[in-house]
Amino acid sequence: VGLITERVFIPSSPPPPLRASLSLQMFLVALSFAYFAKALTGSYMKSTITQLERRFDISSYLIGVIDGSFEIGNLLVIAFVSYFGAKLHRPKIIAMGCLLMAVGTFLIALPHFLIGRYKFETSVRPSVNSTNNLSPCPASSHRALSAGEGLVEEPITGCERESRISMWIYVLLGNVLRGIGETPVQPLGISYIDDYALEENAAFYIGCVQTISVIGPVFGYLLGAVCARIYVDVGFVNMDDISIAPGDARWVGAWWLGYLIAGFIILLAAVPFWFLPKTLPVPVDKKKAEKVPPECTSFIKDSPRLEPKWQADEPNDFLPTVKSLLGNPVYFLYLCVTIIQFNSLIGMVTYKPKYIEEHYGQSTSTANFLMGTINIPAVALGMFSGGVVMKKFKLSVLGAAKFALATSLLGYFLSMFFFAMGCENSKVAGITVSYDRTEGLSEQESVLFVTCNSDCQCSGRDWDPVCGEDGITYVSACLAGCHSSSGSGKNMVFDQCSCIATGNQTATAGHCHLRKDCDHIFPYFLALSVITSFIISLGGTPGYMLLIRSGAPQLKSLALGFHTLATRTLAGIPAPIYFGAIIDTTCLKWGQKSCGGRGACRIYDTTAYRLVYLGLTLGLRTVSFFLCAWGFVVLRRHVRREERTALTNGGSAGAELEANRILLECNPCEKV
């Protein structure tokens, strides 16, 4: 019986090393999915900025405020979560953060269910859409209007209640909650992996997580592409009555639907963290490292950063610890450079889909689809390849820094070619060209009311474009001088248009899309965008490893958290705002809210848009490279000073000097 008992006995649980390995792998999978979920939601947010502009009739500047509110949520709690969260149950704190992110995502979608149906501006009477042979040019009952004189707009009634409601506030508050909930995921998750993974595997694991976080935006932008093609009030309106198409500047897709889907995905991401342990066995190589005095692993040996009080857990040590961390010159330089480069990166990424829409005449759906299927995969492949190169060739910190700097500079110089890939402005009568086909109108010279439409009572505030036979877009059928119409909805045709001097004097509903130069340039723009994204992203993982190695092991969570705090405070919040404000200065025609006041922009000066968007993006990166050069000089002087100190102290310090030299020779110039 004893023999049989020994044979059939099965251990109730795996051996401790195997159990720890399984827990770490489970945590790695759970963290990767959490990164995927939060990245999907964040990218979907950026894919909907033009939809939100049009739905709530707000400018790009205000959209920048909404986008930056996510970082405000991080700012409120990230330092304390990073410092105190490392001492608590990190997996469960991450789970609670995911739940809060889901609540914020659902709150963003709430305004759709609180406000009425979307009503886009139009100068065409509702009856024209259903009845043939009605004139879009209502004649004045008193007198004809002279050239340059527009119809005096009558006060709009029934707007008192609507004017007091700003539904975009719900979007802002929801984004703040998303930011608060996302706070523990990065610093606590990465530090958990770095604490319990073998040192030789930590870089590869973190590279995998970062790669998954870049795959998330692929699905986020694809979700944005699908939702952008669905009308905002789908299921509640007759689509045959909708006279605009997805490429129209007034089109609003089902932006709310994607937030509901993203919210459920984040809820699923929270589940596995509730079942993971607080701690795991420390790997053997890190047990040996713990026996080394902290001074031997510090980044700048003679900096008074590593004192016994760093080991204390009392809350009153928080401010002195932060002060000591910022006293690390390498960490501080790295922080300054990444703040500048994050301003460039965040501003560029936030408005890149909008740039593709406005500059190359693509629809919101197409722009999001291209971002998700072409641009983002190149970033993911670059980040993953950087991690593989670092592991395969066992690059030192110095070697990885040189590699990262080289890729960053190469991508920067290639990006200069974007300036040459420009398109001319769309020909819009009275805005970019005069009614007599003279190009080069300035904003002050824009005149919508001329002799050919002076016998109509036209509204100058509406944007209901029609495409004339002459290939020129007119702000409305009325301003094109059209006196009759036939058909309905998207198939409406306007006749007897006195401002159209060619052909049968007819026009069709919608904007003219006759910029052949853009059709030829656009594929080259996409190809260059993919190449530069891949090259720059190669240095992402080495740069991130530099960040987590730039301080004492006890302060990894704080170093990560403070870096995220600083970049989001000084880059994540202001960059979308001032990028949006500068983009607003290139608007040529603003829409009007139903109750009066300026709404969303309908058409931009594409040349000015290209110059300010690309100029600001590359200008910030130029400044960061100058700061990098200064940083290298400082680091080189410090290394030489360390060498002289080692020579005076004797050969016993040789090994220690070599270790410090490898850590000191790092590149603060690479974006994470």
Side-chain angles (χ1 to χ4, degrees):
V1 175
L3 293 174
I4 295 176
T5 303
E6 290 181 2
R7 287 185 177 181
V8 299
F9 174 74
I10 301 176
S12 59
S13 61
L18 179 59
R19 186 166 63 249
S21 177
L22 292 175
S23 297
L24 181 61
Q25 293 175 11
M26 181 65 181
F27 182 86
L28 183 63
V29 172
L31 185 66
S32 298
F33 187 68
Y35 262 67
F36 170 83
K38 76 181 185 69
L40 181 148
T41 308
S43 60
Y44 182 76
M45 177 75 191
K46 295 188 182 299
S47 75
T48 60
I49 61 171
T50 54
Q51 311 291 303
L52 297 176
E53 282 183 23
R54 298 167 185 172
R55 185 64 184 95
F56 299 109
D57 269 323
I58 55 180
S59 63
S60 295
Y61 165 80
L62 198 51
I63 278 293
V65 174
I66 294 174
D67 188 74
S69 64
F70 175 85
E71 317 300 348
I72 294 176
N74 269 266
L75 172 63
L76 295 175
V77 296
I78 190 168
F80 298 99
V81 168
S82 300
Y83 184 74
F84 298 112
K87 309 175 189 303
L88 302 175
H89 198 302
R90 284 180 280 186
K92 288 188 177 179
I93 293 177
I94 294 175
M96 289 186 287
C98 290
L99 291 177
L100 195 57
M101 274 196 292
V103 172
T105 305
F106 291 137
L107 183 60
I108 293 175
L110 183 62
H112 173 75
F113 303 97
L114 300 180
I115 57 180
R117 303 288 170 254
Y118 173 57
K119 297 178 181 179
F120 52 87
E121 57 182 333
T122 177
S123 61
V124 179
R125 273 49 172 189
S127 58
V128 176
N129 287 334
S130 57
T131 307
N132 292 337
N133 301 322
L134 288 181
S135 174
C137 173
S140 172
S141 58
H142 302 289
R143 64 179 178 86
L145 298 175
S146 60
E149 180 183 2
L151 177 67
V152 178
E153 306 292 348
E154 298 181 358
I156 303 174
T157 59
C159 289
E160 182 179 356
R161 177 176 176 272
E162 181 181 349
S163 63
R164 293 197 300 264
I165 300 176
S166 296
M167 286 295 173
W168 58 265
I169 294 294
Y170 289 96
V171 180
L172 186 144
L173 293 177
N175 219 24
V176 171
L177 288 180
R178 280 187 56 241
I180 295 174
E182 192 263 355
T183 302
V185 177
Q186 181 190 32
L188 301 188
I190 296 298
S191 64
Y192 192 92
I193 292 176
D194 195 62
D195 283 344
Y196 302 118
L198 292 172
E199 189 168 353
E200 61 182 15
N201 293 330
F204 180 72
Y205 289 161
I206 293 173
C208 290
V209 172
Q210 296 295 328
T211 301
I212 295 297
S213 71
V214 182
I215 293 177
V218 174
F219 291 88
Y221 279 109
L222 289 179
L223 180 61
V226 173
C227 293
R229 292 193 64 85
I230 304 173
Y231 188 65
V232 59
D233 293 321
V234 62
F236 297 94
V237 296
N238 183 2
M239 292 304 298
D240 293 334
D241 295 335
I242 304 300
S243 60
I244 56 177
D248 195 286
R250 296 161 295 172
W251 176 271
V252 176
W255 59 273
W256 52 273
L257 181 60
Y259 286 110
L260 295 181
I261 296 173
F264 284 114
I265 294 176
I266 296 176
L267 281 179
L268 292 177
V271 174
F273 289 103
W274 296 107
F275 304 99
L276 291 167
K278 178 180 179 181
T279 60
L280 294 173
V282 179
V284 176
D285 59 349
K286 294 187 178 179
K287 286 182 179 179
K288 295 179 180 179
E290 289 177 354
K291 297 178 182 179
V292 180
E295 291 80 0
C296 296
T297 57
S298 62
F299 220 85
I300 308 292
K301 181 185 172 185
D302 58 353
S303 296
R305 300 186 332 270
L306 289 178
E307 300 178 4
K309 63 182 181 181
W310 275 29
Q311 307 298 329
D313 293 335
E314 288 77 8
N316 57 7
D317 288 331
F318 177 69
L319 291 180
T321 303
V322 172
K323 183 178 179 180
S324 299
L325 180 66
L326 293 179
N328 181 338
V330 176
Y331 181 84
F332 183 76
L333 283 171
Y334 183 93
L335 192 64
C336 292
V337 173
T338 52
I339 285 173
I340 297 175
Q341 291 201 349
F342 265 69
N343 272 273
S344 173
L345 177 66
I346 292 172
M348 183 269 292
V349 172
T350 299
Y351 293 101
K352 189 167 186 176
K354 183 181 178 73
Y355 178 76
I356 293 175
E357 293 175 47
E358 302 297 340
H359 196 77
Y360 295 101
Q362 305 297 318
S363 68
T364 303
S365 177
T366 301
N368 290 333
F369 178 79
L370 293 173
M371 285 288 291
T373 58
I374 297 178
N375 198 269
I376 301 299
V379 175
L381 181 61
M383 294 187 70
F384 181 77
S385 300
V388 171
V389 169
M390 192 171 181
K391 179 178 174 63
K392 181 177 180 61
F393 295 97
K394 298 180 180 180
L395 296 178
S396 64
V397 176
L398 177 59
K402 291 180 178 179
F403 173 75
L405 177 60
T407 57
S408 182
L409 284 172
L410 179 59
Y412 168 78
F413 288 118
L414 287 176
S415 298
M416 294 291 185
F417 289 99
F418 285 124
F419 283 104
M421 298 180 178
C423 296
E424 63 180 11
N425 283 315
S426 298
K427 295 181 179 180
V428 181
I431 296 180
T432 60
V433 297
S434 66
Y435 277 80
D436 59 3
R437 285 55 174 176
T438 302
E439 298 188 27
L441 282 179
S442 66
E443 186 175 356
Q444 292 75 20
E445 296 172 338
S446 298
V447 177
L448 296 176
F449 303 98
V450 292
T451 303
C452 61
N453 57 33
S454 61
D455 59 341
C456 301
Q457 291 193 55
C458 300
S459 171
R461 72 174 191 174
D462 293 322
W463 176 261
D464 190 20
V466 296
C467 181
E469 276 188 297
D470 53 2
I472 295 177
T473 299
Y474 296 84
V475 173
S476 67
C478 181
L479 290 171
C482 302
H483 290 76
S484 65
S485 64
S486 60
S488 62
K490 301 175 184 177
N491 299 319
M492 183 175 293
V493 177
F494 302 93
D495 305 301
Q496 303 177 26
C497 302
S498 56
C499 294
I500 301 176
T502 59
N504 297 322
Q505 294 186 315
T506 62
T508 56
H511 199 284
C512 291
H513 299 282
L514 299 175
R515 296 193 297 173
K516 294 183 178 180
D517 58 326
C518 277
D519 295 336
H520 295 306
I521 294 175
F522 189 55
Y524 296 101
F525 168 82
L526 292 178
L528 184 60
S529 180
V530 170
I531 295 172
T532 54
S533 297
F534 173 78
I535 292 175
I536 294 174
S537 299
L538 281 172
T541 300
Y544 203 84
M545 291 306 300
L546 169 62
L547 172 62
I548 65 175
R549 302 295 186 195
S550 63
Q554 302 93 323
L555 295 182
K556 273 182 294 194
S557 292
L558 181 62
L560 286 168
F562 195 86
H563 175 267
T564 306
L565 169 68
T567 53
R568 287 179 171 174
T569 303
L570 302 177
I573 295 175
I577 297 175
Y578 66 75
F579 263 80
I582 293 176
I583 289 173
D584 283 339
T585 63
T586 67
C587 183
L588 296 176
K589 170 65 176 175
W590 290 95
Q592 296 291 323
K593 296 181 180 179
S594 58
C595 293
R598 194 176 78 174
C601 185
R602 299 309 187 193
I603 183 172
Y604 292 88
D605 183 338
T606 55
T607 301
Y609 195 142
R610 181 178 76 255
L611 293 178
V612 300
Y613 173 75
L614 296 177
L616 189 56
T617 299
L618 296 178
L620 288 169
R621 291 178 62 188
T622 302
V623 173
S624 72
F625 285 125
F626 279 110
L627 184 59
C628 284
W630 176 75
F632 274 119
V633 172
V634 173
L635 290 176
R636 188 176 296 109
R637 289 177 180 175
H638 186 86
V639 170
R640 290 173 181 173
R641 185 166 58 250
E642 286 293 311
E643 290 175 345
R644 289 194 297 267
T645 302
L647 290 175
T648 57
N649 291 339
S652 60
E656 185 179 24
L657 173 63
E658 182 62 21
N660 279 324
R661 180 185 178 87
I662 293 175
L663 289 174
L664 284 169
E665 291 284 350
C666 58
N667 171 28
C669 304
E670 181 55 35
K671 306 187 287 287
V672 177

